[in-house]
Amino acid sequence: MPDPPQHVAATMSTVGIIGAGNIGTNVARAAIAAGHDVVIANSRGPETLKDLIAELGEEHAKAATVDSAARQGDFVLIAIPLHAIEKLPKEPLEDTVVLDANNYYPQRDGRIPALDTNVSTTSELLQKHLPHSHVVKSFNHIYAKDIPAHGLPAGHEDRRALAIAGADPGAKQVVTEFLDTLGYDAVDLGPLSESWRIERDTPGYGPRMTADELREALASTERVQQT
């Protein structure tokens, strides 16, 4: 049997970011502040990101095409509208830890029957599109502006927790370590099929919670009927 995939530890990593909206840019800010480098891509091309790169600092941030950001990142954040995930390239993201920050907004994404009927979660849809990637749900239930602002040192009594979910323990460990460098604890929901517990309109979606508070909220969460 082949050796299992060797995932890159999060310490001093290069973070690929596909999507330069609020989530992507604020994760970039937090990552750079924590000592990581970032490679950012959007759908309009690297030349449209000059102002953002200047703000972030060219020493630790650069713009790239989607394919290049996918290849250069030790792990890759997907922060694009859900309706656009089928445009993501598959081959550059093979055997890569992929952080999924998606939420379903029908007014933006159109109706998606698998989500309307709760047959699937948003992260399962991304995993289906990227069958050879290691998808981990993350960053979908924190307001973008809070990402660079809410981090606290490990052990702080008010340290905020963020939920993660995924099939690959090694991939989840990479994301847990990355969140720790940004100042967050990780609460593991289990597989992607359980990530509905932190999708929009659930108790954990938005509010700042410690790990214990988030676990308590997640345990009593009922599945939302998408409207």
Side-chain angles (χ1 to χ4, degrees):
M1 294 180 63
D3 292 333
Q6 299 298 308
H7 301 311
V8 178
T11 304
M12 300 300 288
S13 298
T14 296
V15 185
I17 299 176
I18 299 176
N22 287 333
I23 293 290
T25 55
N26 279 288
V27 170
R29 292 181 180 107
I32 290 170
H36 303 282
D37 293 332
V38 300
V39 182
I40 308 177
N42 66 5
S43 61
R44 296 178 295 146
E47 65 281 356
T48 66
L49 297 172
K50 291 179 180 178
D51 290 345
L52 176 60
I53 299 304
E55 176 205 328
L56 296 173
E58 294 182 3
E59 182 179 357
H60 294 290
K62 61 181 177 180
T65 64
V66 170
D67 276 32
S68 185
R71 294 181 191 280
Q72 292 184 61
D74 294 319
F75 47 92
V76 179
L77 170 71
I78 305 299
I80 61 176
L82 183 63
H83 65 77
I85 62 172
E86 292 188 358
K87 298 178 181 178
L88 289 168
K90 297 181 181 182
E91 187 272 331
L93 291 167
E94 286 186 2
D95 201 26
T96 298
V97 177
V98 173
L99 285 68
D100 171 37
N102 267 312
N103 288 299
Y104 177 37
Y105 296 101
Q107 65 273 28
R108 178 196 66 185
D109 300 314
R111 306 305 316 196
I112 300 176
L115 300 180
D116 290 339
T117 57
N118 288 331
V119 170
S120 179
T121 64
T122 58
S123 293
E124 286 178 302
L125 291 181
L126 181 61
Q127 184 67 83
K128 182 178 180 181
H129 177 69
L130 301 174
H132 302 296
S133 302
H134 309 284
V135 174
V136 179
K137 191 72 173 183
S138 188
F139 289 113
N140 75 300
H141 67 102
I142 180 173
Y143 296 123
K145 63 181 178 58
D146 294 337
I147 295 170
H150 280 191
L152 289 171
H156 194 290
E157 63 180 3
D158 293 325
R159 198 184 207 209
R160 182 168 182 165
L162 298 179
I164 65 172
D168 185 324
K172 287 196 282 190
Q173 183 60 34
V174 168
V175 178
T176 295
E177 292 176 9
F178 177 53
L179 291 176
D180 182 55
T181 68
L182 303 191
Y184 297 94
D185 291 330
V187 170
D188 190 350
L189 292 173
L192 295 177
S193 60
E194 289 295 305
S195 61
W196 60 265
R197 294 182 181 275
I198 202 64
E199 291 181 345
R200 67 178 182 87
D201 298 331
T202 59
Y205 184 84
R208 179 174 186 155
M209 297 184 186
T210 65
D212 287 343
E213 291 169 340
L214 184 56
R215 289 189 188 98
E216 183 177 355
L218 292 167
S220 60
T221 296
E222 296 183 1
R223 193 154 192 175
V224 173
Q225 180 62 51
Q226 302 292 345
T227 58

